[in-house]
Amino acid sequence: MKIKVLLFVCSLFVPCGLVHAQKMLGVRHNDALHLVKGVTPEAYLIDFDGAAHELPRANTPAFLPGVSEFLPGFIQVEDESGVEWDADDQNNTRNGLYYFRYSAKITSNRDLKDAFLAFEWVRPDKSAYLEVYPLGNLEADIEEVIAISFWVPDRFRLIEPEVHVMSMGFEVGSSRDITKPMTPYAYALENSGAAGLPDGNVKPLQMPPLPEVTDDAGNPREGSVKLYMRIDEMGYVSEVEVREYSDWVFAKATLMSAPFYLFQPRVKNGKPVAAKLIVPFKF
C-alpha cells in the first residue's frame, strides 16, 4: 500500500457529501480548448503544435466539460470522505475561505501515467471553482491512500464537489459510477475459447471513430497523423504521443480519441506483455 499526502491539514471538520460525473480536463490557450495531459503544482501540461507546453495555473482558465464515456480502465474507491472546516470559527484571518479536506483509498486495475485528481464545485448560477492535484504514476493493483487539503471560496460552501480521477486528460471510471469492466485481454481470451492466446503482436478490438475535421464551409478536410502508442499488458492505451502530422488540427483530433482504443495485447511465450507501436491515421 502506498500513501500520498498533499498539504495535510489537521483540524475539526464537518462531513459533507460528494457528487460524481464523467469529465475531461481542458484549458483555454490561444483562443482554443486544449486537452490537459498532466498537471504539476504550478502548471497544466498540454501538447500544442507538436511540442509539450506548460501553462501557468495561476492565469490559465481550466474547464471540466462532460464526455460521452469513461476512459477505459477502473478505479476502486474506498473510505472516501470530503469534509470542511470554517476558518472564521477559529478567528482565522482568511475571511471568505474555508478548508476542504478529501481522503480516500484508490486502486487502479491498470497503470496510469501522470494521473491527477480534479475537484469541481458548481453553483446553481453555473459559477464554478476548480482544484487539480497531481498524483504521479499509479501502478495496477497497488492501493494508494490520498489525503488532500486546500482553501475553497466561501461562496461555494455547502455545494457538493465532483471528484474525478483522471489520466491522459480524461476521467477513469470508478466503483462510484460503474461496475468493474472486463479487461481487453480477458475479453480476447474469452472470445478465443482456448486456455490461452497464441504468441503474436497487438490487435485492435475497439477503435472509436475519429472526430470530423472540417473547413470553414463545413466540408471534411483530409490529413494524416502518426501516433506513438504504448499498449499495456491488459490491452489498454497507457501513453500517446504525436510523432508526425500534416496539420496540428488532425493531431489534436487523434489525441481526443486514441486513449479510448482497446487492443488484444502482445502475447509473448504465452503471456500478455506491454508493447510500443507507431499507428497511422487518415482523415
Side-chain angles (χ1 to χ4, degrees):
M1 179 179 72
K2 294 184 179 180
I3 299 177
K4 294 188 178 180
V5 179
L6 294 86
L7 186 57
F8 178 78
V9 179
C10 184
S11 304
L12 297 175
F13 294 101
V14 179
C16 68
L18 297 172
V19 180
H20 311 289
Q22 55 197 34
K23 303 280 184 166
M24 61 167 276
L25 181 62
V27 292
R28 286 284 179 186
H29 178 61
N30 282 13
D31 297 323
L33 187 65
H34 300 270
L35 184 68
V36 173
K37 300 288 289 296
V39 297
T40 70
E42 297 81 25
Y44 296 113
L45 311 178
I46 68 168
D47 289 332
F48 177 66
D49 203 17
H53 282 253
E54 294 188 7
L55 304 177
R57 289 173 59 173
N59 56 10
T60 301
F63 307 88
L64 279 173
V67 295
S68 60
E69 59 182 327
F70 286 112
L71 182 71
F74 182 75
I75 299 286
Q76 180 69 43
V77 181
E78 300 176 293
D79 299 337
E80 187 174 38
S81 175
V83 290
E84 65 179 43
W85 170 60
D86 189 344
D88 293 338
D89 289 345
Q90 302 296 321
N91 296 317
N92 194 293
T93 58
R94 292 179 181 265
N95 293 329
L97 297 173
Y98 71 88
Y99 273 128
F100 177 78
R101 182 176 186 273
Y102 175 81
S103 61
K105 296 177 182 177
I106 61 173
T107 307
S108 176
N109 75 332
R110 56 172 294 188
D111 291 344
L112 296 177
K113 182 180 179 181
D114 298 327
F116 52 94
L117 276 177
F119 302 82
E120 185 181 46
W121 282 257
V122 181
R123 289 174 59 86
D125 64 3
K126 305 303 181 184
S127 59
Y129 183 77
L130 179 66
E131 287 280 353
V132 183
Y133 284 86
L135 295 176
N137 299 330
L138 302 183
E139 298 179 40
D141 302 320
I142 301 297
E143 182 180 272
E144 304 271 5
V145 176
I146 308 299
I148 301 171
S149 297
F150 49 88
W151 294 99
V152 176
D154 190 63
R155 68 181 184 275
F156 292 101
R157 193 171 183 191
L158 304 181
I159 302 295
E160 296 180 346
E162 296 180 352
V163 185
H164 314 275
V165 181
M166 311 188 81
S167 181
M168 291 188 285
F170 294 96
E171 182 175 10
V172 183
S174 76
S175 57
R176 300 171 311 206
D177 310 282
I178 60 175
T179 57
K180 189 173 184 178
M182 180 180 292
T183 67
Y185 171 67
Y187 176 81
L189 188 62
E190 182 179 87
N191 278 1
S192 73
L197 295 175
D199 286 6
N201 211 342
V202 171
K203 298 179 181 179
L205 294 177
Q206 173 182 296
M207 301 184 74
L210 293 169
E212 187 177 43
V213 177
T214 60
D215 59 22
D216 292 341
N219 300 311
R221 292 181 56 187
E222 294 185 355
S224 62
V225 179
K226 286 185 178 179
L227 291 187
Y228 160 85
M229 299 175 69
R230 184 182 184 276
I231 313 303
D232 68 18
E233 64 273 14
M234 293 294 100
Y236 295 119
V237 177
S238 60
E239 190 174 348
V240 178
E241 293 180 6
V242 177
R243 291 296 170 86
E244 296 180 22
Y245 57 93
S246 59
D247 188 299
W248 182 250
V249 67
F250 300 109
K252 186 176 179 180
T254 57
L255 289 173
M256 297 291 290
S257 295
F260 293 90
Y261 293 176
L262 301 176
F263 295 88
Q264 177 178 308
R266 182 185 179 197
V267 179
K268 184 178 181 179
N269 298 325
K271 295 183 179 180
V273 296
K276 301 175 183 178
L277 62 156
I278 301 295
V279 182
F281 295 86
K282 291 283 188 183
F283 288 80

